[in-house]
Amino acid sequence: LVWENLLPADNFELQIDNDPDFSEPVLISITVTSTSYTPELPDNLYWWRVRQFRSGESSPWSEVWTFRVDTVPPAPPVLVSPANGENENDSTPLLTWQAPPENSLPLTYRVQIATSPSFLPESIVVDDNTVTDNQWESPPLPDNLYYWRVAACDNAGNWGSFSSAWSFRVDTLPPVA
């Protein structure tokens, strides 16, 4: 946490709490001489404020600001459609999934489509990590069997694990007579 020293000060009182009204007991109440402090806190939402002291007199409290500590990655998304093993006669299938629960929104997603269930680098035909919704339309794919999976990244930059892989087949050609 960093703040400006607008007037000369002897020291600062900093308060950090998990309650916006700083009801007793305040989680952290510390006096420091610098204009910064790095707390060690568990994952949660916090509120903080600071005031300065000079010659034994205190200023009013600063505006209350919030921050979130988030070190836990999101769970894997739950795949919805196309259903596992489904045949698609559309070369640009719409892939959809259910967002995992998360406290640090918004989420972004990484979608991978491969020709192998092991997702070896040479088998990956699509790898897009800029998806911002819980659905995504594939670029055109030639007729083939594909595997797909999705991972989520929270607003704190924590990447979660990939979902389990599902398969679908793109089949746009009619059978021969």
Side-chain angles (χ1 to χ4, degrees):
L1 307 173
V2 178
W3 57 92
E4 290 186 17
N5 182 10
L6 301 177
L7 299 171
D10 298 329
N11 53 46
F12 302 91
E13 182 181 7
L14 169 68
Q15 289 187 337
I16 303 169
D17 206 4
N18 54 4
D19 191 344
D21 65 3
F22 294 88
S23 58
E24 295 296 328
V26 174
L27 193 62
I28 294 177
S29 185
I30 189 167
T31 301
V32 296
T33 56
S34 68
T35 57
S36 67
Y37 180 75
T38 304
E40 290 189 28
L41 297 164
D43 286 12
N44 202 354
L45 180 63
Y46 298 97
W47 289 262
W48 71 285
R49 63 184 180 181
V50 67
R51 65 179 172 178
Q52 70 177 28
F53 284 87
R54 181 178 164 107
S55 302
E57 297 292 321
S58 69
S59 70
W61 285 107
S62 67
E63 180 180 335
V64 175
W65 285 32
T66 62
F67 66 96
R68 181 180 307 276
V69 175
D70 181 3
T71 60
V72 178
V78 175
L79 303 183
V80 175
S81 70
N84 196 16
E86 189 168 316
N87 290 320
E88 293 282 318
N89 72 352
D90 180 355
S91 66
T92 60
L94 180 65
L95 309 179
T96 63
W97 55 90
Q98 189 176 33
E102 176 59 39
N103 70 357
S104 191
L105 300 171
L107 293 174
T108 56
Y109 300 96
R110 180 176 181 185
V111 178
Q112 287 186 331
I113 300 175
T115 57
S116 165
S118 62
F119 289 85
L120 295 172
E122 60 274 7
S123 74
I124 296 175
V125 294
V126 176
D127 190 355
D128 188 340
N129 67 355
T130 62
V131 179
T132 57
D133 202 355
N134 61 343
Q135 64 180 13
W136 178 81
E137 186 174 346
S138 166
L141 298 169
D143 284 14
N144 202 354
L145 176 63
Y146 296 98
Y147 300 87
W148 68 290
R149 63 185 184 176
V150 180
C153 181
D154 65 22
N155 198 38
N158 300 311
W159 276 100
S161 300
F162 275 104
S163 64
S164 57
W166 278 10
S167 69
F168 66 89
R169 179 177 300 282
V170 173
D171 183 6
T172 59
L173 302 174
V176 290

